[in-house]
Amino acid sequence: MTGPGRRSSTFTRLLRHGFTDPSAAERLLESAELSPVRNDPVLLEALGRTADPDLALHGLVRLLEAQPGATARRALLDTVTAAKPLRDRLLGVLGASAALADHLARHPKDWEALVTYEPRDLHPGVEEFERGLAAATDPVSLRVAYRRCLLAIAARDVCGTTDVAQAAAELADLATATLRAALGLACAAAPEDAALCRLAVIAMGKCGGHELNYVSDVDVIFVGEAAEGADEGKALRAATKLASHMMRICSESTVEGSIWPVDANLRPEGRNGPLVRTLSSHLAYYQRWAKTWEFQALLKARPVAGDLALGEQYVAAVEPLVWQAAERENFVADVQKMRRRVVENIPAAEVERELKLGPGGLRDVEFAVQLLQLVHGRADASLRSGTTLDALQALAAGGYVGRADAVQLDEAYRFLRFMEHRIQLYRLRRTHLVPEGEADQRRLGRSLGLRVDPVGELNREWKRHAAVVRRLHEKLFYRPLLDAVAQLPSGEARLSSEAARERMVALGYADPAAALRHLEALASGVTRKAAIQRTLLPVLLGWFADSADPDAGLLNFRKVSDALGKTPWYLRLLRDEGAAAENLARVLSAGRLAPDLLMRAPEAVALLGDGDGDGGGLVPRGRQQLEQEILATVGRAGNGQQAVTAARGVRRRELFRTAAADIVSSYGTETQPAEADQGALVDRVGSAVSDLTAATLAGTLRAVVRDGWGDTLPTRFAVIGMGRFGGHELGYGSDADVVFVHEPQDGVDEREAADAAGRVVSEMRRLLQIPSADPPLLIDADLRPEGKSGPLVRTLKSYEAYYRRWSLVWESQALLRAEPVAGDEELGRRFVELVDPLRYPAGGLGEDAVREIRRLKARMESERLPRGADPKLHTKLGPGGLSDVEWTVQLLQLRHGAEVPGLRTTRTRTALAAAREAGLLSEEDAATLDEAWVLATRVRNAVMLVRGRAGDTFPSDPREVAAVGRYLGYGPGHVGDMLDDYRRTARRARGVVEALFYGG
C-alpha cells in the first residue's frame, strides 16, 4: 500500500508507540541507514518502550551513520533486531540520554560495551571498572573510558536490571576506580613526588556512602604521611602536588568534557585549610575545632584510593569521634538548624522544584537518618552504615524507626533518587531541579514507567512521595526523644546491669534492686518490644527521677507496658509522637490518681501523643462534645446499668486527660516549660471536671428515663448544679452538689409525677455509685431546702413557696452558685429566674442578714476544723483559705449583685474581678484574695493527684508532701519554702478578709 492511506496508517502507528513528532520519525525510518529494518515491527515496539522514542530513533540513526562502513552498520542492525537484551539496553540509553547518544556518535564502537558485561556478573565491582579504565594514558582517554563504563551502568539502569540503589553503588564504584586511575596518572607524571609520600584518598558524601549520582561532585579528603626516611615537610608538599594533579585530571575540561569536579572542601578548615594533612593533624583538628556538621559528614568517610592502609587508619581514628559527636552541647539543635538553613538558602523561584534540598526532598531523608544514626549509633554498632537506605533498614530493625515509616521512607527515597538519576542522565549535567517543560516531564515520567499520563502521573507521584518524606522528616528529625537520648552521658544510652544500678542510686531511686528487676523485665530478650524499651528506658529513668517518687514512676511504667506491650501502637507512640514518652513519665511519677485512672484503661495512654485524631491530645474537651459522646454511648447500651457504666468509662478517660494535662502543664517538659499562669491552670481543671460531671449526669438521666419510662417521663425534670459544681470549680475529688426540680407534664397527677421524679433521683444516685473499676460520682443534695430533712426533689412551685416563706440567708448565699447542668433546659432557666431575687436582692442585704452571715462564718471556723489539723495549713477552713475568700466574695455579691451586673456569676474569680472593676475593693486586695484562692485550690488538686484521695491540708508523708511541692513548682529540698509561702499568702489574704468581711 502506498500514498496517503499508508502515510496515515504509519502516522497513527507512530503516535500509538509514543512518538510526539511522527512526521520526523517517519522520515528517519525511511532513511537509508534503516532501510533494511524499516518494516520490522520489533524495532518499532522497542522504540515505543523507551523514555523518548523520538530521541531514541534519532540517536540510533546517528549511531548508524557514524559506523565506519556498511559491514559495521549491518552488524549493528543485526544485533539490534536479533538480540533483545542488547536492543533494549541500547535503545533504552538512546531514549533517556542525549549526552550518551552524543558520546556514541563520537565513539561509534563503544556500543559494544553494552555486550561486554553480559556474560559476566551483571553488577561489576571496582576491579571490573579498573580493568575498563586501565588503558587510559591521559585525561582525554580516561574521560572516554569513563563514559564507556558509564554507558554500561546506564544501560542496566534504564532496563531495570539494577534498581536505583544498585545503580548508585555502581556509580560510586566507578568513581572509586576513576580516582585510582587519575591518581595513577598523577603519580606516573611525577614519580619523584610519589616516592616521597604516602597519600590516601578518603571518599566522603555520596561517593563515600556508595550512593553516587550520575553527575555529582565527588567529595574527598586527603591524608598524607612521609614515606620511610623522607622529610615530613617535603612529603606533604609532594602529596599536595599529587592530590592537586589528580583533581585536575578529573575536573578539567578536555575535548571530551570533564569527568566530574573533585571537591575537597569537607577537609578541616575547608578551602582555607591545607589540601593534605597528616593523620595526627586531622585528629588534632577534630578533637579541638571541628563543628557538628563535620562529624555528620564523617559518617560516610571511606578510603578509596592511594594508600588504603593509611586510609583505614584514618577511618579507625576518626570513628570514635563521630560516635561521640551526639554528646556535644546543642548537638541535635545544631543539626536541625543546619537543615533549616539549607532550605532557607534555596532561591524562592526554585524551592518547589528542588528535588534534593527542598522540603520533602532527598536531604530530608538523609538528615533524619543521619541524626538518628549519630544519636543511637553510639550504643548500637549495627547503625553505623554510610549508606542511607542500609542505615534506614538497620534503624527499623533496631526499633528506632517504625517499620511502616521505614518502608514509606525507603519507597519515597528510591522514587526521588530515581527522578534525580533520570533528570541528570538526559544531559549528564549536575542538577536537582525538576524540569518545567512538558516534553522533559513527559520523558521523565515515561522513564519511570508512567505511560498513560506521564506528566500528570509524574507530578502526582512526586508530590505524594515528597509529602510522605516531609511528614516523616518532621516526625523523626524533630522527635523530642532524640535530644534527650543525645544528652545522656557516654555509656548510658544502653545500660549494663552494673551501670544501671549505679545510675539508679545516683538518680535517687529508693529501691535500686526492685528498679533493676523492673528494667530486666522490660528490656531483656531479643523481641522488637525489648529493643524499643532499651532505647526508651535510659531517658525515662531520668524523667522519672525528676519527680518525688521515681520508684513509683518506673513501677507504673512496667504495669502499663505489661498491659499494652503487645499493642502495636503503644511503643511506637512513645518513640515517635512528639512528647508522648516524657508526658507519660511525668504522669506516672506524679502521684496515684492519674496512674490509677490509666491502669483501669491503659489504652488512654494514646491521649499523651500529639492528638492528631478526633479526641486525641491533652486539650480538655468542651461540654457539648462530651455530652454528645456520652449520650451516643448511652444510646447504644442495652439497659440503664450498662449505659451508665459506659458513661462512667468516658468520665474516667476524660478525668485522666484532664489530670495528665494538669501534671504536664505544672511540671513542664524539656520542650515545653511549666505554665506560669497558675490561675489559668486552676480554671482549666475546674471547667473541665465540671463540664465532665454535667455531661455524665445528662447521660445518666437519659439512661434512667429511657429504662423506666421510654421517652415519656410524666414530669419535666432538671438538675441544678450548686456549690463548686455550679461555679465550674470542681476538683478531682469533689462531690456533685445539686438540687433537683421537676414539674408535672400537662394532665399528669402530681403524686404520679413526684413518684417518677423521686425514682429518677434514686436510680441516678445508685447507678453512679455502683462499685466498679471506674471512680464513683457522688451526688450531694444537702443544699436543698430543709437540708437532709427535706425531700430530694421538689416541684418548681414548691421551691417558690418555700423560698417565699421559709428561706434563710445561708440559702440565698448557697443559691449564688446555682446553675442548670442537666435535664429540661427551660425548667432550669425558670428555676434560675425564681432564685435571682433571693441571691441578688434589690437594695442589698440588711444589717441583720450581714451579721447572720458573719456569725455563721465564725461558727463554721470554730466548729468544723478537724481536730489536730494545723489551721494555718488547712486550705478550706483555715485563715486565708477557700472559705475565707469565697464567703467574702459572696457577701459582696449579695450586697451589690442587684446593682452590679458583673457580680451575677457563679464563678468566684470572675465575681472577684467584677468587684474590683466596680471599685468594691482595691486592686491589691483583689490580687491578694485571688492569689490565695488559686493557691489553695492548687494544693487541694495536688493532694488528690498525689494521694489518690481528697484532702484539705498538706500530706504528712515526706514523699507525698515533696510531690505536692513538685506539682506547685518547688524543686527538691524546698518543701519548707512551699509551706512558708502558703502561710504567707494565706496570712495576707486573711488580713483582707478581716477588713472586708468582718469590717475590722
Side-chain angles (χ1 to χ4, degrees):
M1 179 176 175
T2 59
R6 179 179 178 278
R7 284 196 298 274
S8 175
S9 172
T10 303
F11 193 90
T12 302
R13 194 155 48 102
L14 291 171
L15 278 177
R16 190 172 65 247
H17 282 96
F19 289 87
T20 57
D21 189 353
S23 298
E26 190 173 11
R27 288 194 298 273
L28 289 173
L29 287 170
E30 296 291 339
S31 65
E33 286 75 20
L34 288 178
S35 59
V37 295
R38 65 172 53 123
N39 295 318
D40 189 340
V42 171
L43 177 62
L44 203 57
E45 291 285 344
L47 289 167
R49 289 193 295 272
T50 65
D52 188 340
D54 301 89
L55 184 66
L57 179 57
H58 184 255
L60 179 60
V61 171
R62 288 179 64 204
L63 179 58
L64 286 167
E65 289 173 342
Q67 296 304 308
T71 302
R73 280 195 297 275
R74 186 69 231 183
L76 173 59
L77 281 176
D78 288 346
T79 306
V80 166
T81 54
K84 185 180 187 306
L86 176 61
R87 175 174 66 243
D88 290 342
R89 290 181 184 183
L90 177 60
L91 296 183
V93 168
L94 294 174
S97 178
L100 289 178
D102 290 343
H103 173 84
L104 286 172
R106 290 193 303 272
H107 304 281
K109 295 284 288 180
D110 277 6
W111 68 269
E112 295 173 0
L114 301 181
V115 186
T116 303
Y117 297 114
E118 190 172 358
R120 304 175 186 164
D121 183 358
L122 289 176
H123 310 298
V126 176
E127 293 76 12
E128 187 81 24
F129 287 125
E130 283 187 293
R131 283 192 289 272
L133 303 176
T137 57
D138 56 52
V140 175
S141 58
L142 179 61
R143 174 64 169 168
V144 173
Y146 172 82
R147 281 289 178 95
R148 189 181 303 120
C149 294
L150 192 66
L151 182 67
I153 294 175
R156 289 190 293 276
D157 182 12
V158 298
C159 292
T161 304
T162 57
D163 65 15
V164 68
Q166 290 169 328
E170 288 188 11
L171 289 166
D173 285 343
L174 175 57
T176 297
T178 306
L179 288 170
R180 292 177 182 178
L183 183 58
L185 292 177
C187 290
E192 65 285 357
D193 288 331
L196 286 172
C197 64
R198 300 169 63 198
L199 177 63
V201 183
I202 311 297
M204 304 286 284
K206 289 189 176 299
C207 183
H210 268 107
E211 48 192 17
L212 197 62
N213 301 326
Y214 274 101
V215 186
S216 176
D217 292 355
V218 172
D219 296 305
V220 299
I221 285 177
F222 296 105
V223 186
E225 297 287 351
E228 187 174 353
D231 176 75
E232 184 176 287
K234 291 182 179 179
L236 284 178
R237 287 191 292 273
T240 301
K241 289 180 185 178
L242 294 176
S244 299
H245 192 184
M246 186 202 81
M247 293 173 69
R248 286 196 302 274
I249 290 172
C250 295
S251 305
E252 285 183 348
S253 186
T254 68
V255 291
E256 289 287 339
S258 65
I259 301 177
W260 21 246
V262 176
D263 188 342
N265 288 337
L266 291 179
R267 67 187 185 269
E269 300 180 77
R271 64 184 62 195
N272 297 319
L275 183 63
V276 181
R277 287 176 182 258
T278 62
L279 177 55
S280 60
S281 176
H282 276 283
L283 290 177
Y285 172 83
Y286 288 128
Q287 288 164 348
R288 295 191 61 188
W289 309 110
K291 296 180 175 62
T292 296
W293 69 263
E294 293 178 278
F295 294 107
Q296 185 179 352
L298 285 169
L299 255 177
K300 296 182 179 292
R302 178 172 65 91
V304 291
D307 192 317
L308 295 182
L310 177 59
E312 293 292 351
Q313 281 182 270
Y314 170 86
V315 170
V318 301
E319 186 177 30
L321 302 178
V322 172
W323 301 113
Q324 293 166 13
E327 297 168 22
R328 295 163 64 94
E329 186 176 359
N330 299 320
F331 165 77
V332 172
D334 285 347
V335 177
Q336 293 169 344
K337 189 184 301 181
M338 182 165 55
R339 174 61 189 133
R340 288 193 295 270
R341 193 181 302 125
V342 168
V343 174
E344 289 164 2
N345 288 334
I346 302 172
E350 297 179 359
V351 68
E352 294 298 324
R353 298 167 49 221
E354 177 57 70
L355 197 64
K356 176 181 178 181
L357 303 178
L362 293 162
R363 274 289 188 268
D364 271 355
V365 181
E366 292 161 358
F367 264 66
V369 169
Q370 289 164 21
L371 182 56
L372 288 167
Q373 283 182 277
L374 289 167
V375 169
H376 297 297
R378 295 178 298 162
D380 189 345
S382 70
L383 307 180
R384 299 178 182 180
S385 170
T387 305
T388 301
L389 291 178
D390 290 347
L392 179 60
Q393 185 178 4
L395 286 164
Y400 305 97
V401 174
R403 284 173 290 199
D405 289 349
V407 168
Q408 286 187 295
L409 214 51
D410 183 283
E411 291 175 353
Y413 187 73
R414 289 175 186 273
F415 183 86
L416 296 175
R417 287 301 306 273
F418 217 153
M419 284 184 68
E420 182 184 48
H421 278 192
R422 292 295 190 267
I423 291 168
Q424 293 184 350
L425 184 59
Y426 177 53
R427 291 289 185 193
L428 287 182
R429 290 177 183 165
R430 184 175 180 269
T431 179
H432 310 287
L433 293 178
V434 178
E436 295 181 288
E438 183 176 350
D440 288 329
Q441 289 194 5
R442 181 178 184 274
R443 179 183 59 256
L444 181 57
R446 283 177 59 90
S447 75
L448 299 176
L450 309 174
R451 299 301 170 86
V452 177
D453 175 19
V455 175
E457 289 181 75
L458 171 69
N459 282 284
R460 285 192 294 274
E461 286 296 293
W462 169 34
K463 296 301 182 187
R464 179 176 71 83
H465 285 297
V468 167
V469 167
R470 194 59 188 168
R471 175 177 63 81
L472 294 177
H473 171 79
E474 294 287 343
K475 175 179 175 180
L476 300 174
F477 196 61
Y478 295 100
R479 182 189 288 171
L481 190 64
L482 271 179
D483 207 14
V485 174
Q487 291 174 23
L488 288 174
S490 180
E492 289 190 12
R494 290 288 178 98
L495 295 177
S496 66
S497 294
E498 190 56 38
R501 178 184 292 276
E502 292 175 4
R503 187 158 191 243
M504 295 293 184
V505 174
L507 289 173
Y509 284 78
D511 189 351
L516 279 174
R517 288 195 297 273
H518 299 322
L519 287 180
E520 180 68 20
L522 287 163
S524 61
V526 295
T527 64
R528 185 174 183 80
K529 171 187 171 185
I532 298 175
Q533 298 274 34
R534 285 192 291 272
T535 302
L536 293 169
L537 279 167
V539 179
L540 289 172
L541 291 176
W543 285 331
F544 293 144
D546 186 26
S547 72
D549 195 351
D551 298 81
L554 181 55
L555 173 61
N556 289 332
F557 180 70
R558 180 180 176 183
K559 290 178 180 177
V560 173
S561 294
D562 286 347
L564 289 176
K566 294 183 180 179
T567 308
W569 55 264
Y570 166 62
L571 292 174
R572 186 169 65 238
L573 171 85
L574 300 186
R575 182 193 59 207
D576 295 344
E577 285 209 22
E582 186 173 2
N583 288 345
L584 180 62
R586 301 299 184 204
V587 167
L588 293 180
S589 56
R592 289 187 175 183
L593 178 65
D596 285 350
L597 291 170
L598 183 59
M599 297 309 171
R600 291 167 183 166
E603 65 277 3
V605 76
L607 300 178
L608 300 170
D610 294 332
D612 295 333
D614 182 36
L618 293 180
V619 178
R621 303 167 75 197
R623 164 73 184 275
Q624 184 177 3
Q625 193 178 10
L626 290 168
E627 192 165 314
Q628 285 176 349
E629 181 182 1
I630 288 177
L631 291 177
T633 300
V634 166
R636 291 191 294 268
N639 57 49
Q641 184 165 329
Q642 292 173 356
V644 176
T645 298
R648 288 173 65 182
V650 174
R651 177 172 176 264
R652 178 202 58 234
R653 183 196 69 209
E654 295 303 318
L655 276 175
F656 172 75
R657 188 200 303 269
T658 303
D662 189 16
I663 291 166
V664 170
S665 297
S666 299
Y667 273 56
T669 64
E670 294 191 6
T671 57
Q672 184 68 40
E675 190 165 330
D677 189 343
Q678 307 299 299
L681 283 171
V682 165
D683 290 344
R684 194 180 308 149
V685 172
S687 293
V689 178
S690 300
D691 286 345
L692 178 55
T693 301
T696 305
L697 289 177
T700 303
L701 176 59
R702 173 75 63 85
V704 170
V705 171
R706 187 192 65 181
D707 231 25
W709 295 271
D711 294 323
T712 57
L713 185 67
T715 187
R716 302 170 74 182
F717 186 91
V719 184
I720 310 298
M722 302 288 285
R724 301 182 76 81
F725 184 18
H728 298 262
E729 297 162 357
L730 285 180
Y732 298 111
S734 301
D735 297 345
D737 289 315
V738 299
V739 296
F740 299 103
V741 58
H742 79 103
E743 185 176 70
Q745 300 280 9
D746 292 341
V748 175
D749 179 72
E750 287 194 12
R751 186 181 296 276
E752 179 189 352
D755 179 64
R759 287 166 56 196
V760 167
V761 171
S762 297
E763 188 66 2
M764 285 181 67
R765 298 178 80 180
R766 184 186 73 83
L767 291 175
L768 288 169
Q769 296 178 50
I770 292 175
S772 74
D774 302 311
L777 175 56
L778 302 178
I779 294 177
D780 187 340
D782 289 351
L783 292 176
R784 65 188 184 272
E786 303 178 73
K788 294 180 180 180
S789 304
L792 273 174
V793 59
R794 291 174 180 260
T795 64
L796 189 61
K797 288 182 180 179
S798 176
Y799 278 105
E800 182 180 6
Y802 175 85
Y803 288 136
R804 186 175 62 249
R805 297 185 61 192
W806 309 109
S807 178
L808 301 175
V809 67
W810 73 264
E811 290 176 302
S812 295
Q813 183 180 351
L815 288 170
L816 285 168
R817 304 280 198 98
E819 180 172 291
V821 293
D824 190 295
E825 293 182 7
E826 197 271 337
L827 181 59
R829 179 184 57 77
R830 286 164 54 207
F831 180 88
V832 168
E833 291 173 353
L834 169 67
V835 302
D836 271 351
L838 279 79
R839 57 184 179 175
Y840 311 125
L845 287 182
E847 286 305 314
D848 289 344
V850 172
R851 280 195 297 271
E852 176 65 13
I853 289 176
R854 287 170 175 165
R855 186 186 66 80
L856 288 171
K857 175 73 167 71
R859 179 182 169 189
M860 183 180 69
E861 289 176 7
S862 64
E863 294 180 358
R864 293 192 180 181
L865 195 69
R867 183 176 298 174
D870 181 352
K872 294 180 180 179
L873 293 176
H874 199 280
T875 61
K876 182 177 181 181
L877 301 176
L882 294 171
S883 177
D884 265 2
V885 178
E886 290 168 1
W887 280 60
T888 302
V889 171
Q890 289 161 16
L891 182 57
L892 291 171
Q893 288 180 283
L894 288 166
R895 301 179 79 173
H896 304 285
E899 293 80 31
V900 182
L903 290 174
R904 298 171 205 160
T905 174
T906 62
R907 301 174 186 241
T908 301
R909 298 187 71 219
T910 305
L912 183 58
R916 182 199 66 220
E917 290 173 8
L920 301 176
L921 75 169
S922 68
E923 291 270 355
E924 183 181 357
D925 287 349
T928 298
L929 292 179
D930 186 74
E931 181 185 8
W933 189 90
V934 167
L935 179 56
T937 303
R938 292 212 77 210
V939 171
R940 294 181 88 207
N941 284 343
V943 170
M944 183 66 186
L945 286 169
V946 169
R947 302 180 70 195
R949 61 182 187 274
D952 292 318
T953 190
F954 290 88
S956 56
D957 179 89
R959 264 190 194 277
E960 290 180 348
V961 75
V964 170
R966 185 66 182 84
Y967 171 85
L968 295 176
Y970 293 87
H974 290 275
V975 167
D977 294 338
M978 173 184 66
L979 298 177
D980 288 344
D981 288 346
Y982 181 83
R983 292 188 186 98
R984 185 182 308 111
T985 302
R987 184 171 62 248
R988 292 175 58 226
R990 180 64 178 189
V992 176
V993 171
E994 293 283 357
L996 292 177
F997 185 81
Y998 291 107

